[in-house]
Amino acid sequence: MSRANLLGAQGARELIAFLEGGGDGTIELRPAPGAGARLIKLRRPDTQDPRKAGAAVRDTRSPRSAAQHEPQRLLDRHVFELAPDPRRPVRTAPPAIPADAVVLTNAPRFRTGRDDGVSAHVRVLVDATDPRLRAARRSEAVDELLDLHERVFLKAKECAAYLDGGSFVVSVVGGVTEAGVPLPFTGLFTGLVKSLALEFPGVDVLATVHEDVPLDEVLATVSAELGARRLIPVTYHAGGMRLTPRAVPTLAPPSEVPALGEDALVVAAGGARGIGAPILEALAARHRPRLVVLGSSELPDDAGEELDRSAFIRIQVRQGVSVSEANARYDRLGEARQTRRTLAGLERLCGPGRVRYLRCDLRDGDEVERALATVDGPIDLLLNIAGTNRASDVTAKSVQDFRAVRDLKVRAYLNLKEATRGREPRLWCNFGSFIGLTGQRGETDYGAANDFLNTAAVNAAGEFTIGWTLWRDIGLGASPLMRDFLEGSGEFTPTPTEEGVEHFMAELAAAPDAPVTVFFGAKERAAIRAAVPEFLEFSAGAKRPLPFIDRTLRHDAAELVAERTFSLERDGYLDLHRVRGYPTLPGTFVPELAAQAAVSLVPGRVPAVFEDLRLESFLRVYRADRPEVKRLTARLVRADERESVVAVRVLGDVVAPNGVIVARDRLHFSVTVRLRDAAVPGPSWTHWDEHGSRPLRDPYHMPGSDVLLREVFVSTTDTRTHPLGRRGRLALDAPALRRWFPDLLVPSVTLDGLVRVAVLERAGGRWTPVAIPRSIRRVDLYGGHTDLTLAALTEPVELYVTPVDLDLEDPEPDNRAIAVASNGEVLLQAKDIVGAVVGYVDQETGEYVDRERFDREERR
């Protein structure tokens, strides 16, 4: 089946071919792209079957039915937004600005260190706090920002050979509002960074975007981000939250209201060639607007004879023109002829005198203003289509090429804004690129320009930017070289012209539903998934798995009730943590259960503090054939801009080993959780020296102990006493963590090991107590760490417990247990631990005796 839109010459040729007997027997004609729900089918008489003769049949299917029979589209619509993405550290945070770094800035207050020469570390501090930068308008402040933008490119070019293993960080201060809205010129720098990150895979490339905050706060964030996992190399920090850009799959909402009324005025900046031409034809066919096209081509007086390239070049060379210049002239002539053909086709559709072509350089503000001054009437739609591409990596790209590509998007946009001041178009559509979202190797200029169009549109009423991938039959993607590249790379979906036009018409009808949309298909998804496996799930809003929430029984704004079934088949790790021979959930896992219940009740915030943790009864699984069902209740105590406070209880029927129910709905645990918008940075701690340390074996790892921990729970090493208290070193088993606990919110195994350090003492010269925790007044989490991120740290984590004369059974405790990174940053803290001693282990022989026997023998 052949298919045509009846737009321009190509549509006419397909119809003529059909009428003359070509094709495969059926053609579907559309009155215009975007009208896919109304199809007309023409069927040629089949001379082999007289029953089919004479049938010119109107399709009477319902619009929904007709749409279901259309070919599947290759591209999906995605809406750009910023979404909360709590920081997950993966290594010790390095200094924000290394001593040998080169630092570029546009603000005297941010000058620190040298800005000349080369280094493996480059820092860029962008001051975007000037009020003139809050709107996408021409100003001296914008010129200074563009100058810094070029200097960043040149510094990347200059330092490229030195950066491997180093870092390149751009921080935009005043680039986002407290509400999390990126300001217009932010995209210049985030788009550049996204492409640099792909060109420099061995370099830690990052952009951080901040509110107008002090430099110390910016640098603290940069340091933390350099030690954290990132989905893409851009993070925003606003309103106390860490935000990451994402592209959410979203259908365009249907609209019954025509996007353009009768006699509408459409101004197109570019579009007479490339992907703009079929879109202008679609608008002309559907709306017959008055159309003004701005372009750079000087149209020939007449078409003349169209020579092929070689013949044209021979004639030019005979006239003394160089071969390269002759090639350029041939290209310009071909572009001019294409422009003339497009304009002629548009006039046939819109009507005589309704299409104007105004020649101007869009990068020249005066020319743009003079051109638009000749256009009368309010503008219903402005299409900012113009663009060019000169892809090459940073080391090969000239600053002239960088500026030419960037400015045809950025300067043109600003010039159009200035020329329409006081007569702002009702709708404004920018043609952007998928590259604005992801970056692309060799596209530092194009990526920056297109991300600017994204952030500019977010800040303008009635404006939207469409991020296209490459089109198959027209524009850059249509060249034989590019087609071969696309087929070989497998990273881009070649968009059929018809589908691209349909997407545009749907966006226009829905405008301004979303300020930034991005279209991409299966190939782009595969490339994104290969590079950043979690990004598509993050964009789709996939929730992080909560392994301790099985079933929600009740959920409203104030309360959550959920169930979790524990079994040895499912929770095999319980058998690695035995208390008096029975598989038992560690008491230090209660914050994890509480955190999962709390974030289910209050999504979007992260656990930061646990208070008044009480362990009332063991959560055990006595038999492999008898699962234990427990109920988690979370009640919102209060919430404000700073935090949400949630009270959590874990209850269940207490069942004896023989299966008899001892108590129904008995309280196992209770705790209060404080949730914040982002992880809290840790305070500093001064590491102890080793003077006076005495090694002690961890009593929980000795075979005879009544509380026996194995495998994943063997999480400490170098346990010892110290004149200031007790200490050890974290020794997490990363493969075991990935097997048993890949999705925990709290570093629960670390907390378990840390609390156990509190028992390290010698009673009677050789006995070390074995205790079970009964309560903890407060647990603080810092930095957003999990057990897996702590296991990934390359430097050791030290564990400290004070004071030296700690009494675990003191009903009024005053103690402190702290996990500390090598740089002195506190990662986890537990205060005022109360335990119950159940027995003792002989440090020399490993013998275990229970509490009763120990007390009896010690008294003797």
Side-chain angles (χ1 to χ4, degrees):
M1 180 175 68
S2 57
R3 177 186 288 275
N5 280 327
L6 269 193
L7 300 177
Q10 180 62 29
R13 283 195 292 271
E14 293 197 25
L15 179 58
I16 291 169
F18 171 83
L19 295 174
E20 291 180 346
D24 62 359
T26 303
I27 185 167
E28 292 188 5
L29 307 180
R30 299 169 186 258
R38 301 186 178 205
L39 306 179
I40 300 172
K41 279 193 176 180
L42 303 178
R43 190 177 298 279
R44 187 184 302 108
D46 189 333
T47 56
Q48 303 302 315
D49 185 352
R51 293 174 298 174
K52 297 180 182 178
V57 182
R58 179 175 180 270
D59 187 1
T60 58
R61 292 178 293 169
S62 68
R64 183 177 299 274
S65 174
Q68 289 172 346
H69 286 76
E70 292 182 48
Q72 184 177 4
R73 290 182 174 179
L74 299 179
L75 304 182
D76 298 314
R77 179 184 192 254
H78 302 77
V79 171
F80 171 91
E81 69 176 26
L82 301 182
D85 181 22
R87 185 182 297 126
R88 287 200 246 168
V90 293
R91 61 179 181 272
T92 302
I97 303 181
D100 62 340
V102 173
V103 182
L104 304 182
T105 184
N106 62 331
R109 67 190 179 112
F110 288 162
R111 288 206 177 103
T112 174
R114 62 191 177 100
D115 63 359
D116 60 343
V118 296
S119 173
H121 302 282
V122 176
R123 297 294 181 268
V124 183
L125 297 170
V126 183
D127 184 353
T129 60
D130 192 308
R132 293 171 294 178
L133 299 176
R134 296 183 73 86
R137 297 286 188 182
R138 292 188 321 215
S139 68
E140 268 186 31
V142 170
D143 291 337
E144 291 171 2
L145 206 65
L146 290 171
D147 176 69
L148 176 62
H149 193 244
E150 288 180 18
R151 288 195 287 131
V152 174
F153 163 75
L154 288 170
K155 186 57 66 175
K157 185 181 180 72
E158 182 183 10
C159 293
Y162 303 87
L163 286 171
D164 196 37
S167 57
F168 198 111
V169 182
V170 178
S171 296
V172 185
V173 183
V176 63
T177 69
E178 184 181 4
V181 178
L183 291 170
F185 294 96
T186 300
L188 277 174
F189 295 94
T190 55
L192 173 64
V193 162
K194 291 172 196 175
S195 292
L196 278 180
L198 295 172
E199 288 200 28
F200 298 152
V203 182
D204 203 352
V205 180
L206 167 66
T208 62
V209 185
H210 310 260
E211 299 175 66
D212 184 2
V213 295
L215 180 59
D216 287 349
E217 184 175 331
V218 172
L219 297 182
T221 299
V222 168
S223 175
E225 288 299 325
L226 286 169
R229 146 209 168 278
R230 298 183 295 275
L231 292 175
I232 61 175
V234 176
T235 57
Y236 288 78
H237 305 269
M241 300 182 70
R242 179 183 189 262
L243 306 167
T244 293
R246 67 179 182 182
V248 182
T250 311
L251 295 175
S255 176
E256 300 297 330
V257 179
L260 298 175
E262 293 183 7
D263 205 36
L265 174 59
V266 176
V267 174
R273 295 178 285 107
I275 69 173
I279 282 174
L280 292 180
E281 290 173 352
L283 285 171
R286 174 174 290 189
H287 298 290
R288 298 189 71 250
R290 290 179 296 131
L291 189 55
V292 177
V293 180
L294 308 180
S296 59
S297 294
E298 184 174 357
L299 301 185
D301 293 335
D302 55 66
E305 181 184 359
E306 292 195 26
L307 301 173
D308 64 27
R309 185 181 292 270
S310 58
F312 179 86
I313 291 174
R314 283 196 299 271
I315 293 172
Q316 292 285 304
V317 169
R318 283 199 295 269
Q319 295 173 358
V321 178
S322 69
V323 172
S324 60
E325 175 59 23
N327 261 307
R329 289 184 181 183
Y330 185 84
D331 289 338
R332 288 195 294 270
L333 184 59
E335 291 170 357
R337 283 174 169 151
Q338 177 59 50
T339 297
R340 180 177 287 281
R341 284 192 292 269
T342 298
L343 294 170
L346 292 173
E347 189 163 26
R348 284 194 296 272
L349 292 165
C350 292
R354 295 178 65 81
V355 178
R356 293 178 63 195
Y357 178 76
L358 302 177
R359 183 171 179 263
C360 68
D361 181 352
L362 290 166
R363 288 168 288 203
D364 187 313
D366 292 339
E367 289 192 23
V368 174
E369 289 194 42
R370 282 195 296 270
L372 286 182
T374 69
V375 177
D376 296 326
I379 300 171
D380 294 283
L381 172 64
L382 188 143
L383 296 172
N384 181 21
I385 301 174
T388 189
N389 180 278
R390 301 179 187 179
S392 63
D393 63 53
V394 165
T395 56
K397 191 186 293 285
S398 70
V399 69
Q400 291 79 16
D401 281 350
F402 178 87
R403 188 182 299 130
V405 171
R406 180 197 66 185
D407 286 358
L408 192 52
K409 292 283 188 186
V410 178
R411 292 283 187 188
Y413 177 94
L414 298 174
N415 292 337
L416 290 166
K417 283 286 181 181
E418 200 65 31
T420 56
R421 186 189 290 267
R423 54 179 300 200
E424 284 76 12
R426 183 172 63 85
L427 290 174
W428 180 303
C429 175
N430 301 302
F431 277 33
S433 171
F434 168 73
I435 287 171
L437 172 70
T438 62
Q440 177 62 30
R441 292 181 298 274
E443 304 281 12
T444 46
D445 41 18
Y446 198 65
N450 282 286
D451 210 13
F452 162 77
L453 293 181
N454 292 340
T455 51
V458 168
N459 288 272
E463 184 170 328
F464 58 105
T465 295
I466 303 174
W468 299 111
T469 187
L470 288 169
W471 290 36
R472 182 188 66 197
D473 306 314
I474 201 164
L476 180 64
S479 69
L481 186 62
M482 185 55 72
R483 281 193 172 186
D484 290 344
F485 167 77
L486 291 177
E487 291 176 4
S489 73
E491 293 183 358
F492 297 97
T493 302
T495 310
T497 300
E498 181 185 51
E499 181 177 335
V501 170
E502 288 177 349
H503 285 306
F504 169 79
M505 297 301 285
E507 288 302 298
L508 181 61
D513 166 64
V516 181
T517 53
V518 185
F519 287 90
F520 56 88
K523 291 186 176 181
E524 290 83 358
R525 282 192 293 274
I528 292 171
R529 184 169 283 110
V532 191
E534 296 177 74
F535 183 73
L536 293 178
E537 287 70 24
F538 174 71
S539 290
K543 293 182 179 179
R544 189 172 175 181
L546 296 176
F548 289 117
I549 302 289
D550 280 349
R551 188 163 68 100
T552 300
L553 305 178
R554 185 169 69 254
H555 189 186
D556 56 34
E559 188 175 30
L560 169 94
V561 180
E563 278 186 350
R564 172 56 152 87
T565 300
F566 290 85
S567 69
L568 290 182
E569 180 180 8
R570 175 186 189 181
D571 302 293
Y573 57 86
L574 295 176
D575 199 40
L576 307 176
H577 186 281
R578 287 180 165 259
V579 177
R580 296 194 175 103
Y582 296 113
T584 305
L585 184 75
T588 51
F589 270 54
V590 173
E592 180 65 41
L593 273 66
Q596 293 191 23
V599 299
S600 296
L601 179 63
V602 187
R605 285 185 156 174
V606 296
V609 179
F610 301 89
E611 291 180 327
D612 197 22
L613 169 61
R614 297 191 174 277
L615 312 174
E616 304 290 348
S617 60
F618 290 119
L619 195 163
R620 288 171 166 165
V621 176
Y622 288 101
R623 287 172 32 180
D625 62 346
R626 196 175 70 212
E628 298 280 345
V629 179
K630 305 301 176 183
R631 190 168 71 256
L632 291 79
T633 68
R635 179 176 55 85
L636 184 63
V637 177
R638 66 177 183 274
D640 55 32
E641 292 181 356
R642 181 171 178 266
E643 67 179 6
S644 300
V645 180
V646 180
V648 179
R649 300 200 309 162
V650 180
L651 308 100
D653 296 342
V654 179
V655 183
N658 61 4
V660 175
I661 296 177
V662 177
R664 294 191 180 275
D665 289 336
R666 184 175 177 183
L667 178 64
H668 285 289
F669 318 118
S670 64
V671 65
T672 298
V673 187
R674 294 183 180 271
L675 301 170
R676 305 277 172 80
D677 288 328
V680 178
S684 296
W685 171 272
T686 300
H687 288 288
W688 300 345
D689 61 30
E690 287 296 326
H691 181 71
S693 290
R694 294 182 61 193
L696 277 182
R697 298 166 67 186
D698 188 321
Y700 296 90
H701 304 158
M702 298 185 185
S705 176
D706 248 9
V707 183
L708 180 61
L709 281 57
R710 297 180 292 128
E711 296 184 18
V712 70
F713 294 111
V714 179
S715 58
T716 59
T717 188
D718 294 339
T719 45
R720 55 209 188 273
T721 59
H722 187 276
L724 298 178
R726 299 104 191 263
R727 64 179 305 183
R729 179 169 292 172
L730 194 63
L732 296 170
D733 184 339
L737 289 171
R738 284 192 289 270
R739 177 187 178 191
W740 295 116
F741 310 121
D743 300 308
L744 299 193
L745 305 177
V746 175
S748 302
V749 176
T750 300
L751 180 59
D752 182 66
L754 175 62
V755 169
R756 291 201 318 272
V757 173
V759 305
L760 296 175
E761 64 169 330
R762 290 177 182 264
R766 61 192 178 97
W767 297 95
T768 299
V770 174
I772 55 174
R774 304 302 302 171
S775 67
I776 303 175
R777 183 179 64 81
R778 182 180 173 108
V779 175
D780 289 271
L781 307 182
Y782 298 110
H785 280 285
T786 66
D787 287 317
L788 281 172
T789 66
L790 293 176
L793 296 179
T794 55
E795 299 293 327
V797 172
E798 301 293 340
L799 309 176
Y800 300 96
V801 177
T802 62
V804 67
D805 57 349
L806 165 66
D807 179 1
L808 270 176
E809 297 184 317
D810 187 342
E812 297 182 359
D814 182 14
N815 56 62
R816 186 181 184 195
I818 309 162
V820 186
S822 62
N823 65 354
E825 179 188 4
V826 176
L827 306 171
L828 177 65
Q829 180 172 249
K831 290 182 178 179
D832 300 339
I833 305 163
V834 174
V837 176
V838 296
Y840 293 82
V841 168
D842 189 323
Q843 280 286 319
E844 297 174 7
T845 67
E847 178 191 1
Y848 174 82
V849 298
D850 62 29
R851 173 71 177 269
E852 182 180 353
R853 175 186 164 191
F854 181 84
D855 289 345
R856 185 173 61 249
E857 292 182 355
E858 282 297 300
R859 281 197 297 271
R860 268 203 316 250

